[in-house]
Amino acid sequence: MSPWRMTRWERGELPPGTGTDSGPGAPTTRADGSERRHEALVSVRLGPSAPGSHLVEYLRHEPCAVAAWWIAADVDAVIRLAADSITMLHRAVADLRLRAGVEVAEANYILRALDLTAPADPGAGTDAPAWAGSAA
């Protein structure tokens, strides 16, 4: 069956927080140890008649939902989605619009994580400019 016609239960993903040990920025893993390869951060604004509790309840049962945050901005929340295929990820974003009471959903697809632990230039650690020093 095409992932576009699959319900969230037919996708076979585990609910958020089940068998995952990933923190923010870490690759999302499933209970069987395999990584989900496609991720997105979706900014959503709820419709005027949609309560926030409806979105929260929907996300609790959405297998692609990894994390979500209420934020103070032009949008109401930011949701982190992860899926095995880009098609399933697109479907999860579309489901937010159709089933979760979301009026506006803007998806930002994650290409790869930034490595903040190692310097970008191998010589930068020793020849760093004065302004790049410690603030302490």
Side-chain angles (χ1 to χ4, degrees):
M1 174 178 259
S2 167
W4 287 101
R5 294 182 174 257
M6 294 172 77
T7 66
R8 58 183 179 261
W9 308 111
E10 291 169 326
R11 289 184 212 144
E13 298 296 326
L14 293 173
T18 306
T20 61
D21 295 327
S22 61
T28 308
T29 55
R30 294 181 297 173
D32 63 3
S34 62
E35 279 189 20
R36 293 180 179 176
R37 299 182 50 112
H38 303 281
E39 293 187 84
L41 291 176
V42 184
S43 301
V44 299
R45 184 173 39 223
L46 296 174
S49 62
S53 59
H54 182 71
L55 175 65
V56 171
E57 189 60 32
Y58 174 80
L59 291 174
R60 285 185 179 142
H61 299 288
E62 171 56 53
C64 293
V66 176
W69 303 269
W70 293 116
I71 61 168
D74 292 338
V75 295
D76 296 316
V78 173
I79 302 164
R80 181 178 172 203
L81 300 174
D84 292 328
S85 73
I86 195 72
T87 303
M88 287 173 28
L89 193 58
H90 285 300
R91 182 75 246 169
V93 172
D95 284 350
L96 282 172
R97 291 185 185 111
L98 296 172
R99 298 182 181 152
V102 171
E103 180 179 54
V104 175
E106 180 181 316
N108 297 295
Y109 295 95
I110 298 171
L111 299 176
R112 66 177 185 271
L114 298 174
D115 184 7
L116 302 178
T117 59
D121 180 16
T126 57
D127 301 339
W131 57 265
S134 173

